[in-house]
Amino acid sequence: MLTDSIEEVLRRAAEYAAFPLWTATDRTPPSPIPRAIPFAWPYAPLRELLLRASDLITAEEARRRVFRLLNPGTQGSCTTDTLFAGLQCILEGERAPAHRHTPFALRFIIEGNGAFTSVDGERLWMEPGDLILTPSWTYHDHQKDGPGPMIWLDGLDVPLFAFLRIGFQENWSPARSTLVDAQPDTSLRFPWPEMRARLLTEPGPYAVVPYLHRLTGAPISRTIGARAERLDRGGVTPRRQHTASHIYNVIAGHGRSTIADTVLEWGPGDTLAIPAWHVHAHENTGDETAFLFAYSDRPLLENLGLYREGVPGA
Ligand code: 1HN
């Protein structure tokens, strides 16, 4: 005769490391619930602190002199649940040593000049507003010969690799081989003057231009995609909702973004995190045209068939 209670059955199942699904608290929810929260990192104070840190630790010692912009809602190196952002600085005469890793990286240049990233032996010069790519497993280092600091935003897919547990890297040991300047039509560098001109030829108060591989028209990587936006004075963007998460960096102008219930004010150099599925819209509240840079995990999601858009308010 069976006299077991459910509690007794579950206690005995637990001895075999088996547990009921019906009491689990992490069951699939009815809509996405990212851990990341809408958040903004102001550039001015972080720039001051990064420059101060640059006086106190060399790029060589730090290997990468980066402030990680960590989302308060997440754990680990996450700026959104799937994307990482950091602010990196190098000074005159410094070189951040070469390495390669499985995560993909982009650099969006915020300020400075006279520095380059070398990617597999090709020099990619950095100017403010440029986008520079270091694809997965390409050797890269950063070097600055001219005076003054160079500061950029690093964008990587490291949270994905932390989840998959296949993030790894290799340091470059021999002396660096001879460098050559990359061809002007390289798809590893997208100069700002070119992107700005494209944004200005687009019609309407709000324009979005994606960064695409120059020959194939594909997104800049299989995980991360990037775009630039122009939002004219007084302009407001449509409200959008999708399974991709975004990180924005403000190139120029002032405004505010409404992300679900959070309102974030922004100005030049600021970085914003927009978690997946949060309905969001941007507004130019300043007296000049705003230009924004953004990257997202949309290619990753599209490659897996997981990119979806919602209909806000529906
Ligand atoms: C990295 O390799 C760089 O190469 C920058 O400049 C930021 C953040 C996390 C992991 C690796 C770089 C990084 C990084």
Side-chain angles (χ1 to χ4, degrees), residues 63-64 66 68 77 84 86 88 96-97 99 101 103 105 107 134 140-142 152 154-156 158 169:
R63 303 198 72 81
R64 293 295 185 266
V66 176
R68 297 181 295 156
S77 285
F84 167 90
Q88 181 161 178
H99 67 190
H101 38 67
R107 334 266 163 207
T134 60
H140 54 278
D141 59 11
H142 316 296
W152 64 85
D154 287 307
L156 291 93
V158 288
Q169 70 164 21

PDB file of all heavy atoms in Angstrom, residues 63-64 66 68 77 84 86 88 96-97 99 101 103 105 107 134 140-142 152 154-156 158 169, ligand 1:
ATOM      1  N   ARG A  63      47.390  46.227 -18.845  1.00  0.00           N
ATOM      2  CA  ARG A  63      47.175  45.489 -20.095  1.00  0.00           C
ATOM      3  C   ARG A  63      46.076  46.154 -20.923  1.00  0.00           C
ATOM      4  O   ARG A  63      46.289  46.494 -22.072  1.00  0.00           O
ATOM      5  CB  ARG A  63      46.878  44.004 -19.875  1.00  0.00           C
ATOM      6  CG  ARG A  63      47.993  43.297 -19.084  1.00  0.00           C
ATOM      7  CD  ARG A  63      47.947  41.796 -19.230  1.00  0.00           C
ATOM      8  NE  ARG A  63      48.362  41.371 -20.552  1.00  0.00           N
ATOM      9  CZ  ARG A  63      49.626  41.258 -20.933  1.00  0.00           C
ATOM     10  NH1 ARG A  63      50.606  41.557 -20.096  1.00  0.00           N
ATOM     11  NH2 ARG A  63      49.925  40.855 -22.154  1.00  0.00           N
ATOM     12  N   ARG A  64      44.921  46.351 -20.325  1.00  0.00           N
ATOM     13  CA  ARG A  64      43.896  47.194 -20.938  1.00  0.00           C
ATOM     14  C   ARG A  64      43.406  48.130 -19.843  1.00  0.00           C
ATOM     15  O   ARG A  64      42.866  47.665 -18.839  1.00  0.00           O
ATOM     16  CB  ARG A  64      42.718  46.361 -21.467  1.00  0.00           C
ATOM     17  CG  ARG A  64      43.047  45.448 -22.637  1.00  0.00           C
ATOM     18  CD  ARG A  64      43.428  46.246 -23.883  1.00  0.00           C
ATOM     19  NE  ARG A  64      43.642  45.409 -25.066  1.00  0.00           N
ATOM     20  CZ  ARG A  64      44.825  44.941 -25.456  1.00  0.00           C
ATOM     21  NH1 ARG A  64      45.919  45.178 -24.757  1.00  0.00           N
ATOM     22  NH2 ARG A  64      44.931  44.229 -26.561  1.00  0.00           N
ATOM     23  N   VAL A  66      40.885  49.943 -18.746  1.00  0.00           N
ATOM     24  CA  VAL A  66      39.454  50.028 -19.071  1.00  0.00           C
ATOM     25  C   VAL A  66      38.640  50.168 -17.795  1.00  0.00           C
ATOM     26  O   VAL A  66      38.877  49.444 -16.821  1.00  0.00           O
ATOM     27  CB  VAL A  66      38.997  48.744 -19.824  1.00  0.00           C
ATOM     28  CG1 VAL A  66      37.491  48.765 -20.080  1.00  0.00           C
ATOM     29  CG2 VAL A  66      39.745  48.575 -21.135  1.00  0.00           C
ATOM     30  N   ARG A  68      35.133  49.188 -16.685  1.00  0.00           N
ATOM     31  CA  ARG A  68      33.977  48.392 -17.113  1.00  0.00           C
ATOM     32  C   ARG A  68      32.706  49.121 -16.682  1.00  0.00           C
ATOM     33  O   ARG A  68      32.599  49.540 -15.528  1.00  0.00           O
ATOM     34  CB  ARG A  68      34.013  47.001 -16.478  1.00  0.00           C
ATOM     35  CG  ARG A  68      35.231  46.182 -16.909  1.00  0.00           C
ATOM     36  CD  ARG A  68      35.225  44.809 -16.273  1.00  0.00           C
ATOM     37  NE  ARG A  68      35.365  44.876 -14.833  1.00  0.00           N
ATOM     38  CZ  ARG A  68      34.939  43.917 -13.988  1.00  0.00           C
ATOM     39  NH1 ARG A  68      34.360  42.836 -14.439  1.00  0.00           N
ATOM     40  NH2 ARG A  68      35.118  44.067 -12.694  1.00  0.00           N
ATOM     41  N   SER A  77      30.688  40.755 -16.040  1.00  0.00           N
ATOM     42  CA  SER A  77      31.031  41.865 -16.932  1.00  0.00           C
ATOM     43  C   SER A  77      29.898  42.167 -17.902  1.00  0.00           C
ATOM     44  O   SER A  77      30.043  41.987 -19.111  1.00  0.00           O
ATOM     45  CB  SER A  77      32.315  41.538 -17.697  1.00  0.00           C
ATOM     46  OG  SER A  77      33.419  41.671 -16.840  1.00  0.00           O
ATOM     47  N   PHE A  84      28.805  43.914 -23.386  1.00  0.00           N
ATOM     48  CA  PHE A  84      29.724  44.605 -22.482  1.00  0.00           C
ATOM     49  C   PHE A  84      30.081  45.956 -23.084  1.00  0.00           C
ATOM     50  O   PHE A  84      30.250  46.073 -24.296  1.00  0.00           O
ATOM     51  CB  PHE A  84      30.997  43.771 -22.310  1.00  0.00           C
ATOM     52  CG  PHE A  84      32.130  44.517 -21.653  1.00  0.00           C
ATOM     53  CD1 PHE A  84      32.267  44.501 -20.272  1.00  0.00           C
ATOM     54  CD2 PHE A  84      33.056  45.227 -22.412  1.00  0.00           C
ATOM     55  CE1 PHE A  84      33.310  45.207 -19.658  1.00  0.00           C
ATOM     56  CE2 PHE A  84      34.097  45.930 -21.807  1.00  0.00           C
ATOM     57  CZ  PHE A  84      34.223  45.910 -20.429  1.00  0.00           C
ATOM     58  N   GLY A  86      32.926  49.263 -22.137  1.00  0.00           N
ATOM     59  CA  GLY A  86      33.975  49.778 -21.262  1.00  0.00           C
ATOM     60  C   GLY A  86      34.519  51.073 -21.840  1.00  0.00           C
ATOM     61  O   GLY A  86      34.371  51.333 -23.037  1.00  0.00           O
ATOM     62  N   GLN A  88      38.021  52.953 -22.423  1.00  0.00           N
ATOM     63  CA  GLN A  88      39.460  52.672 -22.417  1.00  0.00           C
ATOM     64  C   GLN A  88      40.251  53.932 -22.725  1.00  0.00           C
ATOM     65  O   GLN A  88      39.822  54.764 -23.524  1.00  0.00           O
ATOM     66  CB  GLN A  88      39.800  51.573 -23.432  1.00  0.00           C
ATOM     67  CG  GLN A  88      41.273  51.220 -23.452  1.00  0.00           C
ATOM     68  CD  GLN A  88      41.615  49.862 -24.080  1.00  0.00           C
ATOM     69  OE1 GLN A  88      42.778  49.506 -24.183  1.00  0.00           O
ATOM     70  NE2 GLN A  88      40.634  49.097 -24.479  1.00  0.00           N
ATOM     71  N   ALA A  96      49.083  49.207 -25.466  1.00  0.00           N
ATOM     72  CA  ALA A  96      48.393  48.115 -24.771  1.00  0.00           C
ATOM     73  C   ALA A  96      48.744  46.849 -25.547  1.00  0.00           C
ATOM     74  O   ALA A  96      48.472  46.771 -26.746  1.00  0.00           O
ATOM     75  CB  ALA A  96      46.892  48.360 -24.756  1.00  0.00           C
ATOM     76  N   PRO A  97      49.413  45.871 -24.893  1.00  0.00           N
ATOM     77  CA  PRO A  97      50.038  44.759 -25.619  1.00  0.00           C
ATOM     78  C   PRO A  97      49.054  43.892 -26.414  1.00  0.00           C
ATOM     79  O   PRO A  97      47.878  43.797 -26.088  1.00  0.00           O
ATOM     80  CB  PRO A  97      50.714  43.951 -24.509  1.00  0.00           C
ATOM     81  CG  PRO A  97      50.134  44.422 -23.218  1.00  0.00           C
ATOM     82  CD  PRO A  97      49.593  45.787 -23.440  1.00  0.00           C
ATOM     83  N   HIS A  99      47.000  40.888 -28.069  1.00  0.00           N
ATOM     84  CA  HIS A  99      46.410  39.603 -27.706  1.00  0.00           C
ATOM     85  C   HIS A  99      45.260  39.315 -28.670  1.00  0.00           C
ATOM     86  O   HIS A  99      44.907  40.151 -29.499  1.00  0.00           O
ATOM     87  CB  HIS A  99      45.947  39.595 -26.228  1.00  0.00           C
ATOM     88  CG  HIS A  99      44.802  40.502 -25.909  1.00  0.00           C
ATOM     89  ND1 HIS A  99      44.384  40.773 -24.624  1.00  0.00           N
ATOM     90  CD2 HIS A  99      43.972  41.232 -26.721  1.00  0.00           C
ATOM     91  CE1 HIS A  99      43.355  41.601 -24.651  1.00  0.00           C
ATOM     92  NE2 HIS A  99      43.087  41.895 -25.904  1.00  0.00           N
ATOM     93  N   HIS A 101      41.317  37.054 -28.722  1.00  0.00           N
ATOM     94  CA  HIS A 101      40.346  36.322 -27.901  1.00  0.00           C
ATOM     95  C   HIS A 101      39.132  35.954 -28.733  1.00  0.00           C
ATOM     96  O   HIS A 101      38.912  36.519 -29.814  1.00  0.00           O
ATOM     97  CB  HIS A 101      39.949  37.131 -26.661  1.00  0.00           C
ATOM     98  CG  HIS A 101      39.810  38.600 -26.892  1.00  0.00           C
ATOM     99  ND1 HIS A 101      38.823  39.135 -27.683  1.00  0.00           N
ATOM    100  CD2 HIS A 101      40.544  39.647 -26.444  1.00  0.00           C
ATOM    101  CE1 HIS A 101      38.949  40.450 -27.698  1.00  0.00           C
ATOM    102  NE2 HIS A 101      39.997  40.792 -26.965  1.00  0.00           N
ATOM    103  N   PRO A 103      35.895  36.482 -27.932  1.00  0.00           N
ATOM    104  CA  PRO A 103      34.894  37.542 -28.073  1.00  0.00           C
ATOM    105  C   PRO A 103      35.240  38.522 -29.195  1.00  0.00           C
ATOM    106  O   PRO A 103      36.409  38.820 -29.438  1.00  0.00           O
ATOM    107  CB  PRO A 103      34.903  38.239 -26.704  1.00  0.00           C
ATOM    108  CG  PRO A 103      35.363  37.186 -25.764  1.00  0.00           C
ATOM    109  CD  PRO A 103      36.389  36.406 -26.538  1.00  0.00           C
ATOM    110  N   ALA A 105      35.142  42.355 -30.685  1.00  0.00           N
ATOM    111  CA  ALA A 105      35.205  43.681 -30.057  1.00  0.00           C
ATOM    112  C   ALA A 105      35.059  44.782 -31.094  1.00  0.00           C
ATOM    113  O   ALA A 105      35.552  44.664 -32.221  1.00  0.00           O
ATOM    114  CB  ALA A 105      36.520  43.869 -29.307  1.00  0.00           C
ATOM    115  N   ARG A 107      35.378  49.244 -31.241  1.00  0.00           N
ATOM    116  CA  ARG A 107      35.806  50.452 -30.502  1.00  0.00           C
ATOM    117  C   ARG A 107      35.114  51.623 -31.153  1.00  0.00           C
ATOM    118  O   ARG A 107      35.191  51.778 -32.386  1.00  0.00           O
ATOM    119  CB  ARG A 107      37.310  50.717 -30.609  1.00  0.00           C
ATOM    120  CG  ARG A 107      38.160  49.509 -30.854  1.00  0.00           C
ATOM    121  CD  ARG A 107      38.703  48.894 -29.602  1.00  0.00           C
ATOM    122  NE  ARG A 107      39.160  47.540 -29.859  1.00  0.00           N
ATOM    123  CZ  ARG A 107      39.194  46.604 -28.931  1.00  0.00           C
ATOM    124  NH1 ARG A 107      38.792  46.861 -27.700  1.00  0.00           N
ATOM    125  NH2 ARG A 107      39.625  45.397 -29.215  1.00  0.00           N
ATOM    126  N   THR A 134      37.653  44.596 -34.132  1.00  0.00           N
ATOM    127  CA  THR A 134      38.629  43.525 -33.978  1.00  0.00           C
ATOM    128  C   THR A 134      37.847  42.212 -33.907  1.00  0.00           C
ATOM    129  O   THR A 134      37.333  41.832 -32.867  1.00  0.00           O
ATOM    130  CB  THR A 134      39.534  43.720 -32.737  1.00  0.00           C
ATOM    131  OG1 THR A 134      38.763  43.762 -31.560  1.00  0.00           O
ATOM    132  CG2 THR A 134      40.321  45.006 -32.818  1.00  0.00           C
ATOM    133  N   HIS A 140      45.292  41.969 -31.702  1.00  0.00           N
ATOM    134  CA  HIS A 140      45.142  43.431 -31.708  1.00  0.00           C
ATOM    135  C   HIS A 140      45.874  44.069 -30.541  1.00  0.00           C
ATOM    136  O   HIS A 140      45.958  43.492 -29.459  1.00  0.00           O
ATOM    137  CB  HIS A 140      43.666  43.823 -31.692  1.00  0.00           C
ATOM    138  CG  HIS A 140      42.887  43.209 -30.563  1.00  0.00           C
ATOM    139  ND1 HIS A 140      42.396  41.925 -30.622  1.00  0.00           N
ATOM    140  CD2 HIS A 140      42.526  43.688 -29.358  1.00  0.00           C
ATOM    141  CE1 HIS A 140      41.767  41.654 -29.499  1.00  0.00           C
ATOM    142  NE2 HIS A 140      41.828  42.698 -28.698  1.00  0.00           N
ATOM    143  N   ASP A 141      46.428  45.241 -30.807  1.00  0.00           N
ATOM    144  CA  ASP A 141      46.971  46.078 -29.737  1.00  0.00           C
ATOM    145  C   ASP A 141      46.609  47.520 -30.047  1.00  0.00           C
ATOM    146  O   ASP A 141      46.095  47.818 -31.130  1.00  0.00           O
ATOM    147  CB  ASP A 141      48.479  45.886 -29.560  1.00  0.00           C
ATOM    148  CG  ASP A 141      49.273  46.210 -30.804  1.00  0.00           C
ATOM    149  OD1 ASP A 141      48.701  46.772 -31.755  1.00  0.00           O
ATOM    150  OD2 ASP A 141      50.476  45.909 -30.838  1.00  0.00           O
ATOM    151  N   HIS A 142      46.837  48.396 -29.064  1.00  0.00           N
ATOM    152  CA  HIS A 142      46.502  49.811 -29.235  1.00  0.00           C
ATOM    153  C   HIS A 142      47.744  50.625 -28.911  1.00  0.00           C
ATOM    154  O   HIS A 142      48.402  50.357 -27.897  1.00  0.00           O
ATOM    155  CB  HIS A 142      45.375  50.225 -28.292  1.00  0.00           C
ATOM    156  CG  HIS A 142      44.240  49.258 -28.221  1.00  0.00           C
ATOM    157  ND1 HIS A 142      43.433  48.972 -29.305  1.00  0.00           N
ATOM    158  CD2 HIS A 142      43.769  48.484 -27.204  1.00  0.00           C
ATOM    159  CE1 HIS A 142      42.523  48.082 -28.945  1.00  0.00           C
ATOM    160  NE2 HIS A 142      42.709  47.767 -27.678  1.00  0.00           N
ATOM    161  N   TRP A 152      38.164  55.736 -25.820  1.00  0.00           N
ATOM    162  CA  TRP A 152      37.124  55.140 -26.671  1.00  0.00           C
ATOM    163  C   TRP A 152      36.244  54.209 -25.854  1.00  0.00           C
ATOM    164  O   TRP A 152      36.568  53.835 -24.725  1.00  0.00           O
ATOM    165  CB  TRP A 152      37.735  54.411 -27.864  1.00  0.00           C
ATOM    166  CG  TRP A 152      38.585  53.219 -27.538  1.00  0.00           C
ATOM    167  CD1 TRP A 152      38.158  51.943 -27.324  1.00  0.00           C
ATOM    168  CD2 TRP A 152      40.017  53.184 -27.416  1.00  0.00           C
ATOM    169  NE1 TRP A 152      39.228  51.111 -27.084  1.00  0.00           N
ATOM    170  CE2 TRP A 152      40.371  51.844 -27.135  1.00  0.00           C
ATOM    171  CE3 TRP A 152      41.022  54.151 -27.528  1.00  0.00           C
ATOM    172  CZ2 TRP A 152      41.700  51.456 -26.950  1.00  0.00           C
ATOM    173  CZ3 TRP A 152      42.344  53.753 -27.342  1.00  0.00           C
ATOM    174  CH2 TRP A 152      42.665  52.422 -27.060  1.00  0.00           C
ATOM    175  N   ASP A 154      34.737  50.557 -25.633  1.00  0.00           N
ATOM    176  CA  ASP A 154      34.903  49.177 -26.091  1.00  0.00           C
ATOM    177  C   ASP A 154      33.554  48.474 -26.012  1.00  0.00           C
ATOM    178  O   ASP A 154      32.874  48.548 -24.979  1.00  0.00           O
ATOM    179  CB  ASP A 154      35.852  48.420 -25.158  1.00  0.00           C
ATOM    180  CG  ASP A 154      37.297  48.832 -25.318  1.00  0.00           C
ATOM    181  OD1 ASP A 154      37.795  48.816 -26.457  1.00  0.00           O
ATOM    182  OD2 ASP A 154      37.931  49.152 -24.296  1.00  0.00           O
ATOM    183  N   GLY A 155      33.172  47.795 -27.087  1.00  0.00           N
ATOM    184  CA  GLY A 155      31.920  47.011 -27.077  1.00  0.00           C
ATOM    185  C   GLY A 155      32.241  45.566 -27.391  1.00  0.00           C
ATOM    186  O   GLY A 155      32.833  45.286 -28.432  1.00  0.00           O
ATOM    187  N   LEU A 156      31.893  44.672 -26.495  1.00  0.00           N
ATOM    188  CA  LEU A 156      32.198  43.247 -26.707  1.00  0.00           C
ATOM    189  C   LEU A 156      30.990  42.390 -26.351  1.00  0.00           C
ATOM    190  O   LEU A 156      30.087  42.816 -25.619  1.00  0.00           O
ATOM    191  CB  LEU A 156      33.387  42.796 -25.848  1.00  0.00           C
ATOM    192  CG  LEU A 156      34.771  43.345 -26.191  1.00  0.00           C
ATOM    193  CD1 LEU A 156      35.063  44.586 -25.365  1.00  0.00           C
ATOM    194  CD2 LEU A 156      35.872  42.320 -25.968  1.00  0.00           C
ATOM    195  N   VAL A 158      31.200  39.777 -24.458  1.00  0.00           N
ATOM    196  CA  VAL A 158      31.728  38.905 -23.390  1.00  0.00           C
ATOM    197  C   VAL A 158      30.666  38.226 -22.515  1.00  0.00           C
ATOM    198  O   VAL A 158      30.889  37.092 -22.110  1.00  0.00           O
ATOM    199  CB  VAL A 158      32.801  39.582 -22.497  1.00  0.00           C
ATOM    200  CG1 VAL A 158      34.093  39.760 -23.236  1.00  0.00           C
ATOM    201  CG2 VAL A 158      32.343  40.880 -21.925  1.00  0.00           C
ATOM    202  N   GLN A 169      41.609  33.605 -24.339  1.00  0.00           N
ATOM    203  CA  GLN A 169      42.503  34.512 -25.045  1.00  0.00           C
ATOM    204  C   GLN A 169      43.928  34.016 -25.035  1.00  0.00           C
ATOM    205  O   GLN A 169      44.293  33.130 -24.271  1.00  0.00           O
ATOM    206  CB  GLN A 169      42.419  35.910 -24.451  1.00  0.00           C
ATOM    207  CG  GLN A 169      43.015  36.024 -23.053  1.00  0.00           C
ATOM    208  CD  GLN A 169      43.257  37.486 -22.686  1.00  0.00           C
ATOM    209  OE1 GLN A 169      42.659  38.390 -23.248  1.00  0.00           O
ATOM    210  NE2 GLN A 169      44.133  37.698 -21.732  1.00  0.00           N
TER     211      GLN A 169
HETATM  212  C1  1HN B   1      39.729  43.582 -24.394  1.00  0.00           C
HETATM  213  O1  1HN B   1      40.524  42.635 -24.894  1.00  0.00           O
HETATM  214  C2  1HN B   1      39.894  44.917 -24.771  1.00  0.00           C
HETATM  215  O2  1HN B   1      41.540  44.433 -26.399  1.00  0.00           O
HETATM  216  C3  1HN B   1      39.076  45.883 -24.237  1.00  0.00           C
HETATM  217  O3  1HN B   1      41.191  46.488 -25.920  1.00  0.00           O
HETATM  218  C4  1HN B   1      38.083  45.568 -23.334  1.00  0.00           C
HETATM  219  C5  1HN B   1      36.913  43.903 -22.023  1.00  0.00           C
HETATM  220  C6  1HN B   1      36.718  42.616 -21.644  1.00  0.00           C
HETATM  221  C7  1HN B   1      37.507  41.604 -22.157  1.00  0.00           C
HETATM  222  C8  1HN B   1      38.507  41.906 -23.060  1.00  0.00           C
HETATM  223  C9  1HN B   1      40.956  45.294 -25.766  1.00  0.00           C
HETATM  224  C10 1HN B   1      37.899  44.236 -22.930  1.00  0.00           C
HETATM  225  C11 1HN B   1      38.726  43.230 -23.460  1.00  0.00           C
END
